[in-house]
Amino acid sequence: MSDNLMNEHRFPCDQCGADLRFDPGKSQLVCDHCGATETVKDDGPWSGGAIRELDFKQALNNLLPAQEIEETRVTKCPNCGAQVEFDEVNHALECPFCATPVVTDTGTHRHIKPRGVLPFDLDEKQARDAMTRWLGKLWFAPNGLQEYARKGRKMDGIYVPYWTFDADTKSSYRGERGTRYQETRTVMRDGKRQQVTVTKIRWRGVSGRVARFFDDVLVLASRSLPARYTDALEPWDLSALEPYRPEFLAGFRAEGYAVELDEGYELARTKMNRVIERDVRFDIGGDQQRIHDIQTQISDVTFKHVLLPVWLAAYKYRGKTYRFVVNGQTGRVQGERPWSAWKITFAVIFGLIVAGIAGYFIAQNQ
């Protein structure tokens, strides 16, 4: 299966032959050359209404239907490892993840097709404005970087791969419920007897069962972007997911998953376990809880491969690459925080001056 693979779908305009692109927020294809528009049609091999979940066990045993699998030809970025698919026209480009020049060196990768896509709501200008505002709020960010981001090259619209998992869980637990109570004691202080009240906890053994159905547990399937950035882009409104159609990708790229299905499931189980533990604590009740053991039975596990929209910028500034990501649905921004050495130095000097002046006046008034 694939590592970090990226592909780009092209649709020629019926009127002039130029490439169409998906217009964020309008659910249509537009030609920037002649202005023609086309609606994204719900037909062809990708039609069918609701997004269908796939059986997890079948996938692990390589028993998925052949139509759920596809192959693509890609090339690998020598710096960050992202794999980029070239079309027949381009033989060199810049890696959108780290701004490193990439040249053609293709290989074939077989992977599970995406079942759903969350179309872009924000266009490139809206994403750039959101990023510029975010940079403007950062203290000690270099002015030059903000200006470069404002006037630099366009951001890349990329569909980032995720897994979602559904599962039915039933958990039995053993633990203890803690109930606070107060106790009065007599103590000696300064040679005198005093009454003091202390809070103690009375523990009682408990056991029970909890159940929960998990719907669309979201797991990042990319390694090209740090999870701390993409996690901070949440929440996503997954109710707006559309059944996958390549038209949504026109003018954008879609990165293929690097986190395999079994690894993604383990990450999803970690998320589920945290929720189950919270449910157990709520079920135990009391003022405090101790959990000794949780045994979970999980059944009816299904999954789907989905693509979520991210605007990405990788800027090289004074020899260092800064990466910024913008949620293509909500405009939420995250990225590597740049620091300005002279701003920090100025702030320290200014703080020392203010402290010195304050100390002088305090001394004068004593």
Side-chain angles (χ1 to χ4, degrees), residues 134-333:
W134 181 80
L135 282 172
K137 295 178 181 178
L138 294 181
W139 285 28
F140 308 125
N143 292 332
L145 179 62
Q146 296 180 33
E147 187 66 18
Y148 183 79
R150 189 178 297 112
K151 296 182 179 180
R153 64 177 176 82
K154 288 187 175 181
M155 303 181 75
D156 288 297
I158 296 175
Y159 283 103
V160 176
Y162 282 79
W163 300 111
T164 73
F165 294 90
D166 292 1
D168 194 22
T169 64
K170 294 178 175 61
S171 304
S172 59
Y173 68 84
R174 293 184 302 104
E176 294 178 86
R177 177 190 295 120
T179 304
R180 296 191 187 96
Y181 68 94
Q182 292 185 329
E183 188 176 88
T184 301
R185 297 178 180 178
T186 300
V187 298
M188 296 294 295
R189 288 181 179 174
D190 300 327
K192 297 180 181 180
R193 293 178 179 273
Q194 295 184 7
Q195 299 290 318
V196 298
T197 300
V198 297
T199 299
K200 302 185 70 175
I201 299 177
R202 183 180 293 110
W203 293 99
R204 181 171 66 86
V206 295
S207 61
R209 294 178 63 86
V210 296
R212 177 179 285 270
F213 176 75
F214 288 92
D215 182 36
D216 283 346
V217 178
L218 193 64
V219 175
L220 176 68
S222 169
R223 299 191 196 276
S224 302
L225 294 172
R228 65 183 183 276
Y229 297 160
T230 51
D231 289 349
L233 293 181
E234 297 182 16
W236 299 89
D237 180 12
L238 297 184
S239 66
L241 277 170
E242 295 278 357
Y244 174 82
R245 290 189 292 277
E247 287 87 346
F248 287 121
L249 276 61
F252 299 97
R253 294 193 180 101
E255 185 192 6
Y257 58 84
V259 175
E260 297 293 336
L261 181 62
D262 54 351
E263 182 183 355
Y265 175 68
E266 292 304 317
L267 295 171
R269 280 300 306 269
T270 298
K271 288 188 172 185
M272 293 180 197
N273 289 340
R274 287 198 293 264
V275 175
I276 292 171
E277 180 179 332
R278 185 186 64 193
D279 290 346
V280 167
R281 291 188 181 278
F282 182 82
D283 198 62
I284 290 175
D287 299 310
Q288 292 188 28
Q289 304 83 34
R290 289 173 176 167
I291 299 175
H292 298 319
D293 181 61
I294 299 177
Q295 296 293 327
T296 297
Q297 293 182 335
I298 187 165
S299 60
D300 300 327
V301 181
T302 59
F303 76 96
K304 57 183 177 291
H305 171 205
V306 300
L307 303 174
L308 303 187
V310 172
W311 286 102
L312 171 67
Y315 292 107
K316 285 190 174 180
Y317 177 72
R318 293 187 177 178
K320 183 175 181 181
T321 299
Y322 295 92
R323 290 183 296 180
F324 308 99
V325 290
V326 180
N327 183 315
Q329 182 187 45
T330 66
R332 189 178 180 89
V333 184

Side-chain angles (χ1 to χ4, degrees), residues 29 63 73 81 101 128 149 154 162 187 208 221-222 290 343 346:
L29 301 176
L63 297 177
R73 297 185 64 82
R128 176 180 292 278
K154 288 187 175 181
Y162 282 79
V187 298
S222 169
R290 289 173 176 167
K343 284 187 178 181
F346 176 80

Side-chain angles (χ1 to χ4, degrees), residues 2-6 80-84 221-224 255-258:
S2 69
D3 295 323
N4 296 4
L5 106 99
M6 300 178 57
C80 71
Q83 297 197 31
V84 183
S222 169
R223 299 191 196 276
S224 302
E255 185 192 6
Y257 58 84

Side-chain angles (χ1 to χ4, degrees), residues 2-22:
S2 69
D3 295 323
N4 296 4
L5 106 99
M6 300 178 57
N7 43 51
E8 187 171 13
H9 294 266
R10 307 180 69 181
F11 295 87
C13 175
D14 290 337
Q15 297 188 23
C16 70
D19 287 341
L20 298 172
R21 64 172 178 83
F22 177 75

